[in-house]
């Protein structure tokens, strides 16, 4: 069960200022997608959603909704049968920036 964005833990790690949260930039090759929705369903951070638009093949394709929430886990890339999506490693975000109720969603 995901925790609400405004929830706070009752304790903090002592090395919170040293912890870096990985970040990824998700890229979709729109014309390669066949609309299976595997990437949307298996994304642990709910970064993706299906677009209302169609690609040249006539399928709905995924679009990035919360780009800053991506943790570069590569699940979307591993599960896509058409190799239509990939994640590139971005600059890690310090965990201390996320402390205090700020959301890691874009």
């Amino acid at each position: 069960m995901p925790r609400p964005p405004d929830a706070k833990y009752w304790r903090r790690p002592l090395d919170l200022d040293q912890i870096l949260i990985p970040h990824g930039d998700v890229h979709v090759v729109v014309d390669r997608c066949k609309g299976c929705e595997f990437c949307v369903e298996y994304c642990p951070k709910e970064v993706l959603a299906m677009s209302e638009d169609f690609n040249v093949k006539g399928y709905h394709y995924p679009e990035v909704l919360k780009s800053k929430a991506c943790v570069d886990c590569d699940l979307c890339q591993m599960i896509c049968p058409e190799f239509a999506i990939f994640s590139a490693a971005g600059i890690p975000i310090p965990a201390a920036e996320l402390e205090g109720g700020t959301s890691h969603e874009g």
Side-chain angles (χ1 to χ4, degrees), residues 7-44:
K8 295 181 182 179
Y9 293 111
W10 61 276
R11 61 183 188 168
R12 299 176 42 176
L14 295 174
D15 61 348
L16 184 66
D17 59 333
Q18 299 171 11
I19 298 173
L20 296 176
I21 307 296
H23 174 68
D25 296 315
V26 180
H27 303 278
V28 178
V29 183
V30 173
D31 292 337
R32 195 180 285 178
C33 180
K34 287 191 177 174
C36 68
E37 299 187 31
F38 288 159
C39 56
V40 175
E41 293 298 321
Y42 286 94
C43 179

Side-chain angles (χ1 to χ4, degrees), residues 1 3 10-11 15 18 21 23-24 28 31 33 36 40 46 50 60 63-64 68 71-72 77 80 82 85 94 102 104:
M1 172 179 240
R3 72 182 181 105
W10 61 276
R11 61 183 188 168
D15 61 348
Q18 299 171 11
I21 307 296
H23 174 68
V28 178
D31 292 337
C33 180
C36 68
V40 175
E46 299 178 352
M50 293 307 285
H60 293 286
E63 61 184 355
V64 180
K68 292 184 181 180
V71 292
D72 199 30
Q77 181 174 332
C80 181
E82 302 300 323
I85 190 166
T102 58
H104 186 55

Side-chain angles (χ1 to χ4, degrees), residues 5 21-26 42-49 63-74 76 87-88 90-93 98 102-106:
I21 307 296
H23 174 68
D25 296 315
V26 180
Y42 286 94
C43 179
K45 293 296 196 171
E46 299 178 352
V47 172
L48 303 165
E63 61 184 355
V64 180
L65 289 185
K66 301 185 253 180
S67 62
K68 292 184 181 180
C70 178
V71 292
D72 199 30
C73 67
D74 289 333
C76 57
S87 174
I91 299 171
I93 300 170
L98 305 177
T102 58
S103 178
H104 186 55
E105 297 176 1

